[in-house]
Amino acid sequence: MYEGVVQGLIDELGRLPGVGPKSAQRIAFHILAADPDDVHRLATALTEVKEKIRFCTVCGNVAEAEQCQICRDPRRDPAIVCVVEESKDVVAIERTREFRGRYHVLGGAISPIEGIGPDELRVKELMTRIADGTITELIIATDPNLEGEATATYLARLVQPMGLRVTRLASGLPVGGDLEYADEVTLGRAFEGRRQLDV
Amino acid sequence: MYEGVVQGLIDELGRLPGVGPKSAQRIAFHILAADPDDVHRLATALTEVKEKIRFCTVCGNVAEAEQCQICRDPRRDPAIVCVVEESKDVVAIERTREFRGRYHVLGGAISPIEGIGPDELRVKELMTRIADGTITELIIATDPNLEGEATATYLARLVQPMGLRVTRLASGLPVGGDLEYADEVTLGRAFEGRRQLDV
């Protein structure tokens, strides 16, 4: 309906998550009216992120180098590892400034309905990290929902024979919610009150 | 908080209308996981739209050439011109397939509060188009709100001495709606504009 390139842009924008046809049109017209430099910066940011971002070979977090900023930071305690579902969760936890250890990003949670089992997650990589004996505590910070709890229980059972402390973030996180939406105080409390997982 | 380029992308996305920080983060992670070709297409669509799109020298609609598709189309009746606020309105009217004339895009509506007067709109260009005598009817299709009505009244007064027919889109009940949910103004307009039912 629009001139070719405008419709093309609306179509591409409409493919983004949470952007419906009306929003796509609104954004497209914003782009039409926007400063060319601003649009250029957005286009560059999009391409750069694909060119420069990979996943940390150690923890699976987003990284600009072979290892992410946290894995490269010698001040971070390598003995305590916090296991999360997504890189977004790393950012949420970092905001609390409560945690000085390292992370392991699973890339999701066990979900039989979506066909995601331990093999689809970075569980094998976690086992390899634990095997060298540096890690003494594993804090399981998967989301406090069905899939996250299932993943926590699965990991706890798998890891406990290896003789390290396995903890789960304290309740205080609203059940049924998403970890990334928790406010800093709640998330900080959850860290303080983490408890042993006995299975 | 994120690695530089990821945060950079989140910031750029957050500047778009209707995209808050959480949506920006969600889109950024979608981009990270997306097919590089898809992201390249989006980035290209953004730049292309800025390079290729200008505004039709005749009607002010978005255009890829000096004139827009509609002004270039010889089958469109040049005697009837529909005046709208934005290019989006052109698309909305085109979808009805009711109108075979041409358009004039004002670029907004008169709004003393926002400091937009006739000089900020493409009113002078409209007068020039009318001056050559081709246009016999002007359909004023500005929005049915305060600014749109003010603009319609202003244009009607300005144009009427030039001896052409000036009409305004009918206000009334939305088709498919419920009479009991209509607001008083709309219902009042629907009464005023009632027409003979010939059966």
Side-chain angles (χ1 to χ4, degrees):
Chain A
M1 197 60 102
Y2 285 99
E3 306 265 334
V5 294
V6 181
Q7 191 59 52
L9 177 59
I10 293 174
D11 292 346
E12 292 301 333
L13 290 167
R15 279 188 245 281
L16 298 174
V19 179
K22 282 283 167 198
S23 312
Q25 182 180 293
R26 193 157 147 232
I27 295 173
F29 276 92
H30 167 89
I31 296 288
L32 275 173
D35 187 76
D37 289 347
D38 289 349
V39 179
H40 182 72
R41 270 213 317 281
L42 173 57
T44 312
L46 283 163
T47 355
E48 268 199 347
V49 106
K50 294 304 283 184
E51 281 164 8
K52 293 201 182 156
I53 288 295
R54 15 185 189 165
F55 295 93
C56 174
T57 50
V58 176
C59 75
N61 191 9
V62 291
E64 279 189 53
E66 198 178 309
Q67 289 185 20
C68 75
Q69 285 172 332
I70 295 166
C71 285
R72 287 200 315 263
D73 186 346
R75 292 162 304 176
R76 305 293 298 234
D77 186 352
I80 308 179
V81 168
C82 181
V83 180
V84 295
E85 294 182 18
E86 309 283 357
S87 287
K88 287 178 253 207
D89 303 326
V90 172
V91 175
I93 293 169
E94 286 297 289
R95 268 198 293 263
T96 70
R97 297 168 190 274
E98 286 280 335
F99 180 63
R100 298 305 302 158
R102 308 215 173 170
Y103 291 94
H104 193 82
V105 181
L106 291 172
I110 293 172
S111 167
I113 295 164
E114 293 181 46
I116 300 172
D119 291 349
E120 277 71 46
L121 305 174
R122 299 183 70 260
V123 171
K124 210 181 297 160
E125 289 86 342
L126 179 62
M127 291 304 113
T128 313
R129 286 180 77 180
I130 293 170
D132 84 352
T134 317
I135 303 171
T136 56
E137 181 179 354
L138 208 64
I139 304 173
I140 304 183
T142 50
D143 285 342
N145 56 22
L146 204 70
E147 292 81 10
E149 294 294 352
T151 311
T153 309
Y154 173 85
L155 288 177
R157 284 199 187 129
L158 193 71
V159 161
Q160 221 133 37
M162 301 171 94
L164 64 162
R165 197 175 169 221
V166 181
T167 56
R168 176 96 177 101
L169 291 193
S171 56
L173 292 178
V175 176
D178 249 352
L179 193 141
E180 62 177 294
Y181 295 119
D183 68 278
E184 293 103 306
V185 182
T186 308
L187 203 49
R189 292 270 170 79
F191 259 86
E192 281 169 36
R194 67 186 186 273
R195 59 197 169 76
Q196 185 105 23
L197 260 191
D198 295 310
V199 277
Chain B
M1 197 57 100
Y2 285 97
E3 305 266 333
V5 293
V6 181
Q7 191 60 54
L9 178 59
I10 293 173
D11 293 346
E12 292 300 334
L13 289 167
R15 276 189 248 280
L16 298 175
V19 180
K22 283 284 167 192
S23 310
Q25 182 180 295
R26 193 157 146 233
I27 295 174
F29 275 92
H30 166 88
I31 297 289
L32 275 174
D35 186 77
D37 290 347
D38 290 349
V39 178
H40 181 72
R41 272 212 315 282
L42 172 58
T44 312
L46 284 163
T47 355
E48 268 200 347
V49 107
K50 292 307 280 184
E51 282 164 7
K52 293 200 181 157
I53 289 295
R54 16 186 188 161
F55 295 93
C56 175
T57 50
V58 177
C59 76
N61 191 10
V62 290
E64 279 188 54
E66 199 177 306
Q67 289 186 19
C68 74
Q69 284 171 333
I70 294 166
C71 285
R72 286 199 317 261
D73 186 346
R75 292 163 305 176
R76 306 290 301 232
D77 186 354
I80 308 178
V81 167
C82 180
V83 180
V84 295
E85 294 181 18
E86 308 282 357
S87 286
K88 287 178 253 209
D89 303 325
V90 172
V91 176
I93 294 170
E94 286 296 288
R95 267 198 292 265
T96 70
R97 297 168 189 272
E98 287 280 336
F99 181 64
R100 299 305 300 159
R102 308 215 174 172
Y103 292 93
H104 193 83
V105 181
L106 292 171
I110 293 171
S111 167
I113 296 162
E114 293 180 47
I116 299 171
D119 291 349
E120 277 70 48
L121 306 174
R122 299 183 70 259
V123 171
K124 211 182 296 160
E125 289 86 342
L126 178 62
M127 292 303 114
T128 314
R129 284 180 80 179
I130 293 170
D132 81 354
T134 317
I135 303 171
T136 57
E137 181 179 353
L138 208 64
I139 305 173
I140 304 183
T142 51
D143 286 341
N145 56 24
L146 204 71
E147 291 82 8
E149 295 294 353
T151 310
T153 310
Y154 173 85
L155 287 178
R157 280 193 191 132
L158 194 70
V159 162
Q160 224 131 36
M162 301 170 95
L164 63 162
R165 198 176 165 217
V166 181
T167 57
R168 176 98 175 99
L169 288 193
S171 287
L173 297 175
V175 176
D178 248 350
L179 193 138
E180 60 179 303
Y181 297 131
D183 62 278
E184 297 107 45
V185 182
T186 305
L187 203 50
R189 288 278 170 78
F191 264 89
E192 276 170 41
R194 69 188 182 273
R195 53 199 177 76
Q196 183 105 23
L197 260 189
D198 296 310
V199 277

